[in-house]
Every structure is written in C-alpha cells, then in structure tokens.
Amino acid sequence: MASLVAIAVAGAAAVQAQSLQDRPSQPPTPTTASETAPEDEVTFSAAQLDYDDNADVVTATGDVRMFRNGARLRANKVTWNRQTGVVRASGNVAVVNANGDKAYGDDITLTDELHDGVADNMLLVLANGGRLAARHGERKGEITTLNHAAYTPCRVETDSGCPKRPSWQITAVQVVVNEGTHRISYKDARLTVFGATILALPAFSHPDGSDSGNSGLLMPNFQINKSNGVEIDLPYYLQMGRNRDLTITPHFYTAVLPALEAQYRALTGNGAYQVSGMATYSSRLPATADQTTLPVQGNDSFRGYLDANGSWQLDPVWAVRGAIRLTTDRTFMKRYYISNDDRLRSTINAERIDADSYLSIAGWFVQDLRPGYAEGQQPIALPAIDYRRRFADPWLGGVFTAQLNSLALTRTDGQDTQRAFAGLRWDLRTLTGFGQEVTFTAYGRADLYHTNNSAATATELYRGIDGWHGRGIAALAADMRWPFVGELFGGIQQIVPRVQLVAEPKIRNLDIPDEDSRAVDLEDSNLFALNRFSGYDRWEDSSRVTYGAEWNYNRPRLEVRAIVGQSYRLSSEPTILPPGTGLSDRFSDYVGRVSVRYGSFIEITERFRLDKDNLAVRRNEIDATVGSRNTYAEIGYLKLHRQIDTAIEDLRDMSEVRLGARVQIARYWSIFGSTVVDLTTHKEDPHSFSDGYQPVRHRLGLLYENECMSLWVTWRKDYDETGDARRGSTFSLRLALKNLGR
C-alpha cells in the first residue's frame, strides 16, 4: 500500500473515475507507543478488540488504529489474520506511509506490513501535493495497477473548503505505475483542461514527479510567425543519470524545413556545464539593412548555432570558466527567434583568488552579426593576463596594490595591438578629529605598447601609431568626505560634502592605440574616479579638482539617495577627451543621480548630465518600477544628446524608451506587455535608421497561472528586418502542467 500512494495517475473518457475530493476520515497521528515499538511489531488501539485463538484472527472495531514500521492505518473495522498475514480494513479507511503519502478507501486488503494489497474506491494524496482516485487499485512488488482512475496535482477545494473542479486532470481506463523506474503509463487516457477534453492519449507515460526524475515527452509549444509559418516544438527529456540530462527538441514548420535543437547538461564533482545548439537546412539571404537590394531567393545551406558554457572550481583558489557562442550566419538567431544579440562573445578564463591576490588568464573573441560591419575588424584576445596583489604598508599604515597586465589583440583584417604594463597603487584612509574621512592615493604605472596596421582602424582617434611605444603614468590624489547626520521629518538624513584633488602630469596618449577606453562619458559612477576613462589605454592627462555632495534620507519604508557634482581642470592645455563627453572644457558638466525607494511599491532611479553653460540635458536616464508583485509597471528611458562628433562610433547620441507592465485582472489571470521604441532622430545620429519614432519590438500576452499550471498566449511584433529575419508578428501558445514534463 505504501507504493500505491506514490502515484501520479490518469483516467479515461469512456469510464467515469472516482471523486478526487478529500475524505472525512484522516490517518491517525503517531503515538509514543508506536514510535518506540520494536521494528515489525504491530501496535493496535480500538474501542473493541476480539481474538479467535483457533483461527488466529484479530478483529478490531470502533475507531481502529494500527501502527507498523512508520505506517499508520485508521478504519471502522480491521481484521488481521496472523497466519496468512492478510489485513482487511473497511469503513472510512485512511492509511499513511512513512513518506507522508496518504491513501483512502471503502475497503482495503493488504499485507500485515501495510505494503502490497488491493483497494476499492481509492483516493491517494501524495506528499508532493498530487492526488489520484481510482475504482480499484492493486499493488504487487514495485508495480501498481489502477483501473478507471483520475489524476491531478491541482487544488480540489476553495479557500473556504468548498469543492472545486481541478484546473486540469488526466483520466484513464488503466494506469500502471512502476516505482522502480519512477514512470507512470496510461492506457486510453485523455487530458482535460478547465473541464474540456483537449487531447486524447491512447498510449502515454510521464515521470511520477519524484525527485529522481525520468525521461519522457515534455509539453509541446506552438508558434506562428511570418518567417517560418506555423511552428510546433516537441521536446523530449532524457534522464541520463543523476547528474546528466539531454533535451532533444524537433521544430516543425509549415514554411521551412524542420530544425533540430538539443541541450546537454551535466553536473560534475567540481562544477557544471551545458552544451546546446540548433541545426537546419534552409535558404539564407544576405545580412543587409537595405531590404530593397535583397535577392528574391537566398542560397540553401546548413544553418545553426552553438551555445556552450561551464564553470569548474578546481580547488579553493583556482577556478576555470568559459563560454562558446557561434552561429553559421548573421541572421539565423533572429530568423528562428533564439536571440536578438548583435554580437556573440566566446570566452575562456582561469582565475586564482585568495585573500590578497587575484590572477586571471583569459582569452576571448567576438562574432559580429551587425549588417555592414567587417568580421575581420573584431579582435581576438589571447592571452589577456591580469595579476593583482594587495599588501600592507609597513610605514604609514596604508595599503599597496600591485598590478601586472598584458593583452594581445589580433585581427584577421585590421589593427593588431599588444600591451603590457606594471602598476603600483597606495591608499591610506584616515579620520580626522572633526569627523572628516580623508583618503590619500598615489599611483604609478609603466606601459609598453606595440601596434601595426593602424590605418585599418576607421576612427582616427583610436588608431595610435605603428611600432613600439612606452608611456609613464603618475597621479596623486586626496579625497575628503565630511558626513553630517541628523533627524528630519521622522527620519535620518545624511549630508556628505565631498572634495577630491588629483594631480597628474601631461601624459602621452595619442601615440597609443585605444582598444578599451572608447566609450568615455562623464557619469555619476566615475565622477570621483582617478581616471574617468573606462579602460587602460587612455588616461586623463591633467590635474583637476572635483567637488560635489551626497544626500541620503531614511525613514520607515522610505529611502532617498542623491549625488551631484562637477570637476574643474587646473590646466588650460587642450585635453584628449572629445567635445561632448562633458569633460573637454575646464569646467565639466554637472552630473548626478537620484534614487527613491518606497517600500517594495516604488523604485525610481534617474541619472543626468546637465550642460555647464546653459543646463541643457545632455544625458537623461530613468529606470522606474511601480506596483506590487503581481501588478506593476516598468519604465526605462535613455536620452543622450551630447553633440559628439558622429565619426566616433562608440559615442553616438540616441534616444530610447522601454515600457513593460503586468496587470492582474483576476486571481489567476494577468495581462502583460512590453515595448521598445527608438526615439533617435537623424539630427542626433545621422547613421540611425530611426525617424524619431521607430518601434523596435512590441509584446502583449495573457497569462493564467495557479499552483498546478501555467498558460501563456503571446503576441510579439518585431520591426527590425535584416536579411531573412523578417519583420512581422509572432503568436505563441505555451502550456505548462505540473508534474508533466520538466
């Protein structure tokens, strides 16, 4: 009987299954006597107990309770034949096994170990929440056979205890449960959702929902789009071991040939990895943004992608991680709705981390999927080495950080660069008697660069000069923060004026190629940085003073954070920072950030940069979330109006808005949607195809989700059209049922 209770069952249309509702009688709770009894000893309690010496039969009546080996039984009457070992219980029978699974029935016959047996009008309530009902069930060894049965993991009662129809259930003429393989098989089964039969299953099986898992078909997915027609996905899950599995998904289309997708996952003794990919044979059009020049027919060829990643912790300090992302052509990922990424990055990295040092030995390369960009211009980095070590200052009490770094970039059709440098940084943080926090910093670095074929780089500012070049970098800085704390409107506020002085000599920059410092821009995150460039190849080449203030406010459920500041360059000599970055003049632009959080209902962050001369908005970035867990809105807005030279490709101006929302319209029903709109004008970026309002992607959907199922109906429209990745609408239907598939 214990294994009968481990089942996930279904029933058929031709025969009405038994009720899945709760029964009035419950299994008994353990007693002190039953928990301390020797193994295999049977403990009884009843209103009346009779014993037939001749037949060796025990008969108990009146709220009978029976305990053995962790199993517990309650019934109106129990007859135990000690010679044959047969126990027959009748009248409101309720049994629970050691795992917490419960069985109910009108009449149950089983062995005296409360294991094998048969039952009529049976209800099984599993410990994992699933339940099944059957007219008759029989258990022999690890095989249980149920006749005229129904299964559901859904609730069958409302919150007030009234009966309700489950969201979905399976009914079957016969169900066979194999506890050894953890698999349930059905004969003449039907799947019913919201009371309507949607699928007939003459032969069907699935895992029993236990933690051990099992192989089997997963729920199919349906999709309709302009590029591929009607699509049906039929995933199959293969459990290859406790630490390995494989999912194979055939994709069938009405407009193109089928595709095959696979994902292999494995957990090793010191890490985990996964390998996935998709392959097909179809026509391929050139990747160009100008659709008027495309040929009518493309070239038929093999197409696909590979995505693999893994991470391994070799010992307490050494770890290795890597990723491979490759595709056969620039439009496959968008054509088959796998990803909208315009570049695929593959990496390998070995890291050693301990309390005071860090070592990274890495390599990477990028596959460029953007139309019009030469693949040979993308660099291959091998090796990229970075070593840092921290050690105490024995004289003044500060901290030294030493760094060694090298990088080799190779292009198949472009500029090659090699770099190596050694740097040393010293930091000392101290508090004055007036409560000021002062940090002193000294930094020195020696660089060695080599580059060739620099003329192949289109942007002159990034090229450098061919050959070998050396460079020395030095900087001294003093940074003072002075916190003032006090009460305000029932909360605590903190006002923190801050001043930083940085002294740097004139530094050689333009002879050096710029590979990693191109996206320079004044932001709140780098306002007080020693170097406002994002990488190592460029270094700010003048002394400056930076000043600003922070304001923090906290009270119950309310939190406000704000910072604003500006810098002033002490030298009147021209700087390498391009006009429009907010740093090219002696006075920088004003930059700041404001964040507001109210409980878990409102969270708003705005980052801004204002022109120092006329307070024009040069950067405005807003991210806001408003609402509860089930009903909320997300707003993202970015406007860059920096008026930078459009020849600098990494710093072009743009405007974009991102909106997303979910509204719960009923207890289990929600509407969700999102949109991305490109607001960039030709005045902001002459290279942009947007006319000031260019939708990128819309998405709208309906979701039903409760404790045992999820149903998504989604519409999506893509406006980006590149090659055979055509713009248009996509309709998707996905149904996920608890315990059916993974």
Side-chain angles (χ1 to χ4, degrees), residues 601-737:
F601 184 74
I602 297 176
E603 183 174 358
I604 302 174
T605 299
E606 180 177 16
R607 296 176 175 87
F608 60 87
R609 177 155 67 86
L610 305 179
D611 192 288
K612 67 181 187 311
D613 297 322
N614 55 19
L615 299 182
V617 179
R618 299 304 179 194
R619 179 188 185 100
N620 190 16
E621 184 176 359
I622 301 173
D623 290 290
T625 301
V626 180
S628 62
R629 181 174 179 268
N630 297 320
T631 298
Y632 58 85
E634 295 178 336
I635 302 170
Y637 174 74
L638 173 63
K639 182 176 181 63
L640 301 177
H641 187 57
R642 301 168 295 186
Q643 300 178 333
I644 297 179
D645 184 355
T646 57
I648 306 176
E649 59 178 305
D650 298 277
L651 298 175
R652 289 174 181 166
D653 287 337
M654 63 173 294
S655 296
E656 179 184 83
V657 63
R658 306 176 306 279
L659 304 174
R662 173 177 171 175
V663 179
Q664 187 173 20
I665 56 178
R667 180 175 182 180
Y668 300 121
W669 291 94
S670 298
I671 298 175
F672 61 89
S674 63
T675 185
V676 179
V677 180
D678 187 353
L679 303 177
T680 308
T681 64
H682 290 292
K683 182 179 180 180
E684 292 172 324
D685 182 6
H687 301 276
S688 173
F689 291 97
S690 173
D691 59 358
Y693 183 86
Q694 177 60 53
V696 177
R697 185 176 305 106
H698 297 326
R699 185 168 177 254
L700 183 65
L702 180 66
L703 169 66
Y704 177 88
E705 186 174 26
N706 62 19
E707 79 285 349
C708 66
M709 68 172 291
S710 298
L711 173 65
W712 294 266
V713 180
T714 307
W715 166 77
R716 183 183 71 197
K717 186 170 184 179
D718 291 281
Y719 292 85
D720 181 24
E721 187 165 281
T722 304
D724 55 6
R726 304 170 65 186
R727 70 177 65 189
S729 297
T730 299
F731 297 91
S732 301
L733 172 64
R734 182 183 178 190
L735 177 64
L737 304 178

Side-chain angles (χ1 to χ4, degrees), residues 174-193:
Q174 186 180 81
V175 180
V176 177
V177 181
N178 189 322
E179 296 181 4
T181 61
H182 298 281
R183 192 148 202 87
I184 303 172
S185 302
Y186 300 87
K187 178 181 179 182
D188 295 335
R190 292 190 181 182
L191 173 64
T192 302
V193 179

Side-chain angles (χ1 to χ4, degrees), residues 425 427 439 441 477-481 496-502 504 521-533 540 544-550 562-568 583 588 591-593:
R425 175 169 176 155
D427 292 283
T439 302
T441 301
D479 191 327
M480 188 274 290
R481 301 173 72 251
V496 187
R498 184 174 181 181
V499 178
Q500 180 195 56
L501 178 65
V502 178
E504 297 175 332
D521 198 9
L522 178 61
E523 303 176 6
D524 64 281
S525 60
N526 65 7
L527 175 63
F528 290 94
L530 198 61
N531 177 34
R532 263 85 72 95
F533 283 97
E540 251 183 289
R544 64 187 181 272
V545 58
T546 304
Y547 41 87
E550 302 173 28
I563 182 173
V564 65
Q566 185 186 36
S567 65
Y568 173 73
L583 293 164
S588 77
V591 66
R593 181 191 74 249

Side-chain angles (χ1 to χ4, degrees), residues 410-474:
T410 304
R411 293 177 173 87
T412 58
D413 186 20
Q415 180 174 354
D416 298 334
T417 301
Q418 297 84 42
R419 175 190 77 202
F421 70 75
L424 182 64
R425 175 169 176 155
W426 172 79
D427 292 283
L428 173 64
R429 176 180 174 271
T430 184
L431 296 176
T432 70
F434 295 99
Q436 299 154 324
E437 177 187 347
V438 182
T439 302
F440 299 99
T441 301
Y443 184 75
R445 203 176 87 192
D447 299 348
L448 181 63
Y449 278 80
H450 177 265
T451 187
N452 61 285
N453 200 21
S454 60
T457 298
T459 304
E460 184 177 357
L461 189 63
Y462 300 155
R463 290 176 180 171
I465 300 175
D466 284 356
W468 291 94
H469 299 278
R471 180 178 63 178
I473 294 173

Side-chain angles (χ1 to χ4, degrees), residues 41-262:
E41 180 179 300
V42 178
T43 303
F44 266 108
S45 70
Q48 182 176 340
L49 190 64
D50 297 319
Y51 178 63
D52 186 340
D53 291 331
N54 296 327
D56 199 10
V57 174
V58 178
T59 302
T61 56
D63 193 17
V64 184
R65 305 186 183 196
M66 183 177 180
F67 306 87
R68 183 171 188 178
N69 290 338
R72 294 171 275 133
L73 179 148
R74 169 180 281 173
N76 293 341
K77 181 179 179 180
V78 172
T79 301
W80 176 24
N81 190 319
R82 299 182 61 184
Q83 290 184 357
T84 62
V86 174
V87 175
R88 181 171 182 177
S90 59
N92 295 321
V93 184
V95 185
V96 64
N97 66 8
N99 296 325
D101 303 323
K102 301 175 183 178
Y104 305 87
D106 294 337
D107 189 278
I108 296 179
T109 301
L110 58 157
T111 65
D112 56 6
E113 295 181 350
L114 306 183
H115 191 262
D116 293 353
V118 296
D120 292 326
N121 189 22
M122 182 179 63
L123 171 68
L124 303 179
V125 180
L126 310 183
N128 63 11
R131 61 176 58 210
L132 58 95
R135 291 189 178 182
H136 182 79
E138 183 175 351
R139 154 97 170 120
K140 290 183 179 179
E142 294 183 336
I143 305 298
T144 300
T145 303
L146 300 171
N147 296 320
H148 306 151
Y151 167 78
T152 185
C154 305
R155 295 181 60 184
V156 296
E157 290 185 353
T158 64
D159 291 338
S160 59
C162 297
K164 67 180 293 284
R165 183 175 59 192
S167 301
W168 68 270
Q169 65 177 348
I170 300 177
T171 56
V173 170
Q174 186 180 81
V175 180
V176 177
V177 181
N178 189 322
E179 296 181 4
T181 61
H182 298 281
R183 192 148 202 87
I184 303 172
S185 302
Y186 300 87
K187 178 181 179 182
D188 295 335
R190 292 190 181 182
L191 173 64
T192 302
V193 179
F194 299 131
T197 300
I198 64 171
L199 188 63
L201 304 166
F204 174 64
S205 66
H206 66 81
D208 62 6
S210 63
D211 293 338
S212 58
N214 211 293
S215 304
L217 285 171
L218 308 184
M219 293 300 298
N221 297 318
F222 302 90
Q223 191 164 267
I224 303 174
N225 58 65
K226 187 175 181 180
S227 297
N228 303 322
V230 179
E231 175 185 353
I232 301 178
D233 306 337
L234 299 174
Y236 182 84
Y237 176 79
L238 179 62
Q239 182 78 28
M240 306 178 70
R242 298 191 63 181
N243 65 326
R244 297 176 295 128
D245 61 29
L246 174 66
T247 302
I248 301 174
T249 306
H251 298 259
F252 299 97
Y253 311 94
T254 58
V256 293
L257 292 175
L260 184 64
E261 182 180 10

